[in-house]
Amino acid sequence: MIELNGIYKLKHIIGLKNNDISDFKVVGFSEDKRFVGCIKLNGEDSGEGYVFETKCLIDPEKPEDIYYGELIRKE
């Protein structure tokens, strides 16, 4: 379960070589909990805020579920 103030990594996109391996801290949820507001804790652009779909974060209750989507086209 994704929780407020929890620290998570993003799921990987299949076919993308440079997936982000930074840690993100959840600082808020949308009313329907479909989206989360996060702060990037390390790596390039640390301290920046981001919004993701909740299903883009790796849930510690499902550690084997690490992929989200597939790269369709790269320009």
Side-chain angles (χ1 to χ4, degrees):
M1 170 182 261
I2 305 299
E3 297 179 353
L4 188 64
N5 295 316
I7 298 173
Y8 305 95
K9 293 195 180 292
L10 292 175
K11 291 182 179 179
H12 299 290
I13 297 172
I14 298 170
L16 186 64
K17 293 181 182 182
N18 296 326
N19 283 291
D20 196 326
I21 58 169
S22 301
D23 296 314
F24 292 85
K25 181 177 182 178
V26 174
V27 295
F29 286 95
S30 63
E31 283 187 28
D32 60 2
K33 297 202 176 197
R34 184 174 171 209
F35 296 95
V36 290
C38 296
I39 300 293
K40 191 171 188 178
L41 297 179
N42 49 28
E44 192 173 321
D45 301 327
S46 63
E48 293 289 322
Y50 295 87
V51 174
F52 301 110
E53 279 190 272
T54 305
K55 62 186 175 181
C56 292
L57 300 175
I58 297 175
D59 187 336
E61 293 179 356
K62 301 174 188 174
E64 71 287 342
D65 185 15
I66 61 168
Y67 296 105
Y68 179 75
E70 186 172 345
L71 186 63
I72 303 298
R73 184 175 94 182
K74 183 177 178 181
E75 293 183 21

